[in-house]
Amino acid sequence: MDVALFGKILEKLQAELLGRYSDVFLALYSWGEPLIHPKIGQLVSMSRQAGFRVGLSSNLNFTRNLESAIAAGPDEFVVSLSGFFQDNYKQSHTNGDIEDVKVNLRTLSDLITRHGYRTKVFLHYHCYTHNSGDDIVFMAQLCEELRFTFIPGIAYYMPVENMLKATRGDLPEADSDIVEKLLVPISDQLKIASAHAKDSTTCELVENRIDIDVDGAVKLCCSSFDRANNVAHDYLSSSFTEIQSRRAKALLCGPCMDQGIYRVYTLKDYSTWRQLANERLADIDSPLRFTDTGERIEGVEGEIPLLSAAVRLMNDGNLDDARSTKCRLDALIERKYGAAATTISGIMMRLRDGQKLLGARLPQNPLLYFFIEAALLRNLEGRPEESRLLLQELQVLADILTDNVEYRPHIEALRPIIDDWFSLPV
């Protein structure tokens, strides 16, 4: 959408909506990638100046206009993804690269922190059967580190046109593989929705939202993709009352409401979905479970919390429990970063290869991770010589990591402790 057209649409939205509703949120996305727009920052600024709250959503495979978009001050930024490892991510994000996404997530966090921007970041994680194990755990941990809000959600099938085909047993062949991976099978989603179809005569997606396409056309709703179902060719030439009247009479709405499909896209039956999803997670031997709120996963054990727990247990003198916690941390580090990340030699090799991104290819706090091992070797297992050798390697590792500005506070805190322990008699 060009800037001039966007400006005219904003003026009309101001006149028609700001007086009608007390709070209007402008989502600059719908079946598209806003960061592709070269003027996305300007569009965000215009929207805020017009009096709207503004949000963006991206799969974050591209960042060419990210800085200007965030600098313009959107209220929220949603990142949509479905995996931590590429083999799982690519199954539902075709042609995407999760390693690029993880780098871009760090870039986004750095932009917000460095400039003091107020944008809130929400990471919407689409949960399927193939990505509801370690992928969720590690992505939740990454969000914790970056200070983003992690929101796991049970995946469902879109658009509504294809969902209606599914009710007739006419599911597009290209979608069959991903549909089979739904935590709550599409047949169960439809059965639950159909049972409560008559509970409401209106749909929130029509009543409370208006979706305007890049050319100014008005879509039936955000769950519809087929432009044949658009309700207006030009938002500027149609009044809000006319648009709502056409939406109320839309042919697609009839079967959608009759079969309760609207309940899928407005999450009306999500509490029932959670129960079914948790049963499915148990069937596939996943330790994770959706909580009653639906916006949190039980069973996620984080890298930083485990580090903190091990230190606390050591300080309290509970060395056996500290060793047990360290073993859980070892297993997590190996699953997340590979076996090489559990040894100082492996860490140094990666650093020499230029892989200096902590929390991506390296543990988030490698000095503390290995210091815990050195302390346990000395105080629990009575192996002071091995402990001293490990501490010597840690001193070298600290020197190598000094160039990392973000990690420098960790070095300043740990280096004196490491040196003190190194000077202890063997």
Side-chain angles (χ1 to χ4, degrees), residues 371-415:
F371 174 75
I372 291 170
E373 180 63 27
L376 289 172
L377 283 172
R378 183 181 186 94
N379 289 356
L380 176 64
E381 299 173 12
R383 296 151 64 186
E385 295 88 353
E386 292 181 43
S387 175
R388 196 169 194 274
L389 286 173
L390 186 53
L391 290 166
Q392 189 174 18
E393 291 180 312
L394 272 180
Q395 290 173 326
V396 176
L397 181 59
D399 291 338
I400 296 174
L401 285 169
T402 301
D403 291 340
N404 189 311
V405 176
E406 290 182 356
Y407 193 67
R408 198 169 292 156
H410 294 292
I411 296 175
E412 292 173 354
L414 281 168
R415 187 62 187 262

Side-chain angles (χ1 to χ4, degrees), residues 77 79 81 105 121-125 139 143 148-152:
F77 191 101
V79 181
L81 50 74
L105 284 168
V121 179
F122 301 91
L123 196 149
H124 286 194
Y125 187 97
M139 193 55 73
C143 283
F148 296 161
T149 300
F150 182 72
I151 303 178

Side-chain angles (χ1 to χ4, degrees), residues 88-103:
N88 288 331
Y89 178 75
K90 68 182 181 182
Q91 295 185 47
S92 44
H93 278 78
T94 306
N95 298 324
D97 188 327
I98 192 60
E99 296 304 324
D100 287 344
V101 174
K102 285 186 277 190
V103 170

Side-chain angles (χ1 to χ4, degrees), residues 137-148:
V137 174
F138 298 150
M139 193 55 73
Q141 292 167 4
L142 180 58
C143 283
E144 176 187 42
E145 177 196 349
L146 300 179
R147 298 173 298 281
F148 296 161

Side-chain angles (χ1 to χ4, degrees), residues 125-127 152-156 183-184 189 267 270 273-274 277 290:
Y125 187 97
H126 305 263
C127 300
I154 302 167
Y156 50 83
L183 271 176
V184 179
Q189 293 184 17
L267 304 181
Y270 203 73
W273 284 20
R274 282 200 303 272
F290 286 91

Side-chain angles (χ1 to χ4, degrees), residues 118-374:
R118 61 182 187 81
T119 302
K120 295 180 179 179
V121 179
F122 301 91
L123 196 149
H124 286 194
Y125 187 97
H126 305 263
C127 300
Y128 296 86
T129 57
H130 69 281
N131 69 353
S132 292
D134 282 347
D135 289 75
I136 288 182
V137 174
F138 298 150
M139 193 55 73
Q141 292 167 4
L142 180 58
C143 283
E144 176 187 42
E145 177 196 349
L146 300 179
R147 298 173 298 281
F148 296 161
T149 300
F150 182 72
I151 303 178
I154 302 167
Y156 50 83
Y157 183 51
M158 292 182 77
V160 63
E161 290 89 349
N162 285 2
M163 182 68 102
L164 284 167
K165 291 179 181 178
T167 65
R168 302 189 294 268
D170 189 24
L171 184 73
E173 186 176 349
D175 295 340
S176 60
D177 184 57
I178 195 63
V179 166
E180 288 177 3
K181 292 181 172 67
L182 291 172
L183 271 176
V184 179
I186 196 170
S187 57
D188 286 344
Q189 293 184 17
L190 291 170
K191 182 179 179 181
I192 296 165
S194 177
H196 298 279
K198 303 304 180 183
D199 289 3
S200 178
T201 58
T202 61
C203 174
E204 297 168 14
L205 302 185
V206 172
E207 291 289 313
N208 300 328
R209 294 183 56 144
I210 183 168
D211 284 74
I212 302 171
D213 218 334
V214 293
D215 59 354
V218 183
K219 301 174 72 67
L220 172 59
C221 71
C222 61
S223 65
S224 172
F225 182 77
D226 192 342
R227 291 177 64 87
N229 292 311
N230 285 357
V231 294
H233 295 297
D234 179 20
Y235 171 70
L236 294 176
S237 61
S238 305
S239 71
F240 180 74
T241 302
E242 289 173 335
I243 289 170
Q244 291 301 86
S245 176
R246 292 174 196 168
R247 296 172 89 186
K249 300 173 184 176
L251 294 177
L252 192 65
C253 287
C256 179
M257 294 295 295
D258 290 343
Q259 298 179 64
I261 294 174
Y262 72 96
R263 299 182 65 86
V264 173
Y265 300 130
T266 54
L267 304 181
K268 295 292 187 184
D269 303 304
Y270 203 73
S271 59
T272 305
W273 284 20
R274 282 200 303 272
Q275 297 174 21
L276 295 175
N278 284 339
E279 291 173 7
R280 183 65 176 131
L281 287 170
D283 289 341
I284 61 177
D285 295 325
S286 172
L288 307 178
R289 299 292 182 270
F290 286 91
T291 63
D292 289 340
T293 63
E295 294 187 349
R296 191 168 62 83
I297 290 280
E298 289 181 342
V300 174
E301 198 167 49
E303 186 178 339
I304 295 300
L306 281 176
L307 279 170
S308 300
V311 170
R312 184 179 66 253
L313 289 166
M314 286 197 307
N315 290 339
D316 291 343
N318 299 322
L319 299 184
D320 288 327
D321 289 341
R323 169 55 79 190
S324 176
T325 301
K326 174 61 166 50
C327 287
R328 298 209 311 276
L329 181 59
D330 290 340
L332 186 151
I333 294 291
E334 183 171 353
R335 294 199 313 272
K336 188 174 182 181
Y337 305 107
T342 62
T343 66
I344 288 187
S345 60
I347 293 290
M348 289 183 176
M349 186 177 297
R350 288 184 177 179
L351 286 169
R352 293 187 184 104
D353 289 342
Q355 300 175 23
K356 296 189 177 182
L357 201 55
L358 299 173
R361 295 286 291 161
L362 304 173
Q364 294 179 34
N365 195 337
L367 279 188
L368 182 57
Y369 173 60
F370 291 113
F371 174 75
I372 291 170
E373 180 63 27

